[in-house]
Amino acid sequence: MAKTKAGVLGATGSVGQRFILLLANHPDFELVKLGASSRSAGKKYKDACNWKQTDIIPEYVENLVVVECKSEFFQDCDIVFSGLDADYAGIIEQEFADNGLGVISNAKNHRQDPEVPLVVPIINPEHLALVENKIVKAKEQGTNKGFIVCISNCSTAGLVAPLKPLVEKFGPLKYLITTTMQAVSGAGFSPGVGSMDILDNVIPYIGGEEEKMEWETKKILGSISADGLTIENIPESELKVSASCNRVAVIDGHTECVSFSFKSEEKPSVDEVKQCLKDYQCEATQLGVTSAPKQTIHVLDQNDRPQPRLDRNRDAGYAVSVGRVRKDTVLDFKMVVLSHNTIIGAAGSGILIAEILRAKKLI
Ligand SMILES: NC(=O)C1=CN([C@@H]2O[C@H](COP(=O)(O)OP(=O)(O)OC[C@H]3O[C@@H](n4cnc5c(N)ncnc54)[C@H](OP(=O)(O)O)[C@@H]3O)[C@@H](O)[C@H]2O)C=CC1
Ligand SMILES: N[C@@H](CC(=O)OP(=O)(O)O)C(=O)O
């Protein structure tokens, strides 16, 4: 099968750079277009971008010339990944979709649109049926085949990963409380978090993050409407979610302490919870797509794991690690979850979604 031609919007940023690394030597995708602001447009990528990854900049992008984020420059792309600054992403991504392009976005702007799936590909790829339905309809009626898929907030991705298999096996949740310890890469590069603010310190506030975690969880765990065109969130009255978000001096990897209760009076044991997480295999793995994790959720038995520096790269950052699963004295259970915020929490999820769409011949 020929490679799928891809573009990246916001290519110079934290998420954009991660997209470029993940697309380097990718067997399914060929990166053909890079977009960023007018400050960067017209420059070679190596000159436009302040490269901050620990892997060196891939040679193949160094001399690609950055263009402005206008759909007319991206018409040769089969799929466009967006790591755009959220101040501009909403309008730009809509313009791309209105002009026939498929956009997989990391930005928050379209996440609440009911017709836009909010996807953590190791958890709710079934919500991509909305895109499939749109493409089928566009083919039948000769209408615009453009679409937007949103990737969730990075902390939300880690939170929902172990919860979905538990809900599938033991029924709905009633209460969910999470306290996060989030890496600095999550704050992006411009301006990012200053070293005087974060070294020797913890910042107990990340603007808008708690609200996003609280509502996004209900959309990701929600269901597809009967007409197959929208997502119906879990109603507020059915599930109470409380998030407290903190920034810590870690480069990559968001850690979360999570407590939860099931709705049912019949509770599983700690061993049953752990086994359920170990047994879970995501659809991407079943489809055998390129970046699918071998093990979706790693359940670690050591008392002092997961840790970001030691565990964030499990399955190349596409898997989630869970440890310290135990009974909670207030809710039913508590555990610690770790996920790589720019891989499964951002760019990696984008790549995995595109691999699933490609495997289903939707792009
Ligand atoms: N970092 C993370 O872990 C996560 C980030 N996200 C989301 O992903 C998006 C990108 O985040 P991040 O990479 O951290 O941000 P950065 O600030 O590092 O990068 C922003 C990118 O947007 C581009 N840009 C800025 N203004 C414009 C404009 N007017 N027109 C076109 N392009 C523009 C920048 O280009 P230039 O260099 O030319 O200014 C740059 O490429 C955000 O919406 C963020 O909320 C989501 C999940 C996780
Ligand atoms: N707010 C996240 C990253 C992010 O940009 O999230 P969102 O895409 O939901 O705005 C963090 O600080 O780690």
Side-chain angles (χ1 to χ4, degrees):
M1 198 151 105
K3 284 194 176 189
T4 300
K5 290 192 165 56
V8 174
L9 304 177
T12 50
S14 169
V15 171
Q17 291 183 19
R18 183 62 73 178
F19 270 122
I20 282 162
L21 280 178
L22 295 175
L23 288 166
N25 304 317
H26 196 292
D28 307 328
F29 302 108
E30 182 191 356
L31 180 57
V32 294
K33 266 307 141 57
L34 299 176
S37 77
S38 53
R39 294 178 291 277
S40 304
K43 294 181 186 164
K44 285 183 178 171
Y45 184 70
K46 65 179 179 190
D47 300 324
C49 162
N50 183 4
W51 186 260
K52 295 204 187 194
Q53 308 298 315
T54 46
D55 296 283
I56 46 176
I57 183 168
E59 232 181 290
Y60 81 109
V61 286
E62 282 189 320
N63 293 320
L64 280 183
V65 175
V66 177
V67 297
E68 280 195 56
C69 297
K70 293 182 179 161
S71 66
E72 61 193 276
F73 300 135
F74 287 76
Q75 288 300 328
D76 54 343
C77 295
D78 304 306
I79 191 73
V80 176
F81 300 102
S82 168
L84 279 171
D85 183 326
D87 284 349
Y88 309 97
I91 290 174
I92 294 174
E93 292 166 358
Q94 192 61 57
E95 192 265 328
F96 274 58
D98 290 345
N99 286 293
L101 289 160
V103 180
I104 301 178
S105 170
N106 273 281
K108 64 183 175 190
N109 310 65
H110 292 286
R111 288 183 195 153
Q112 298 205 34
D113 301 354
E115 70 282 5
V116 170
L118 180 58
V119 177
V120 181
I122 56 171
I123 290 306
N124 64 333
E126 66 276 11
H127 287 190
L128 292 171
L130 266 55
V131 170
E132 186 165 2
N133 295 342
K134 179 154 196 219
I135 291 173
V136 169
K137 196 170 144 202
K139 271 188 188 154
E140 280 168 10
Q141 301 179 356
T143 48
N144 173 24
K145 62 181 189 351
F147 62 86
I148 299 174
V149 174
C150 282
I151 299 160
S152 80
N153 165 270
C154 42
S155 314
T156 313
L159 175 65
V160 295
L163 297 177
K164 176 78 181 299
L166 294 175
V167 167
E168 274 174 3
K169 182 137 190 155
F170 305 116
L173 297 172
K174 193 169 179 191
Y175 299 114
L176 174 60
I177 300 177
T178 181
T179 301
T180 71
M181 289 156 272
Q182 297 183 214
V184 291
S185 60
F189 292 163
S190 48
V193 185
S195 53
M196 282 301 282
D197 293 320
I198 197 66
L199 289 176
D200 189 29
N201 210 7
V202 169
I203 302 169
Y205 175 70
I206 302 175
E209 194 81 350
E210 295 172 353
E211 295 80 358
K212 278 184 276 184
M213 291 192 78
E214 289 169 6
W215 80 259
E216 286 187 19
T217 300
K218 294 178 190 141
K219 182 165 181 181
I220 296 163
L221 297 179
S223 48
I224 302 174
S225 61
D227 63 8
L229 298 177
T230 58
I231 301 295
E232 290 170 354
N233 299 5
I234 296 177
E236 192 62 36
S237 56
E238 299 279 306
L239 172 62
K240 300 280 180 212
V241 185
S242 169
S244 301
C245 296
N246 306 281
R247 186 76 68 200
V248 297
V250 164
I251 292 178
D252 286 321
H254 288 355
T255 308
E256 303 180 37
C257 294
V258 183
S259 298
F260 56 95
S261 279
F262 292 103
K263 196 171 173 190
S264 166
E265 287 304 314
E266 221 173 283
K267 311 293 182 190
S269 66
V270 167
D271 283 344
E272 284 171 324
V273 167
K274 283 190 195 175
Q275 196 58 49
C276 168
L277 299 178
K278 285 178 190 166
D279 290 345
Y280 179 70
Q281 193 185 51
C282 66
E283 189 195 9
T285 305
Q286 289 162 16
L287 287 169
V289 300
T290 306
S291 307
K294 283 197 179 66
Q295 178 72 34
T296 312
I297 299 171
H298 292 259
V299 179
L300 309 177
D301 286 322
Q302 302 96 312
N303 278 333
D304 59 354
R305 303 288 276 276
Q307 296 179 20
R309 191 149 48 81
L310 304 183
D311 297 306
R312 63 190 166 209
N313 288 329
R314 285 180 185 277
D315 282 277
Y318 286 91
V320 170
S321 298
V322 174
R324 307 208 63 219
V325 181
R326 59 216 194 274
K327 290 247 185 217
D328 187 34
T329 47
V330 179
L331 302 184
D332 292 343
F333 296 97
K334 55 186 169 181
M335 62 189 172
V336 180
V337 181
L338 171 77
S339 56
H340 197 304
N341 55 300
T342 64
I343 300 184
I344 198 59
S349 268
I351 301 287
L352 208 45
I353 289 169
E355 289 174 6
I356 294 170
L357 293 176
R358 182 179 144 99
K360 296 187 171 179
K361 303 203 178 341
L362 295 170
I363 56 171

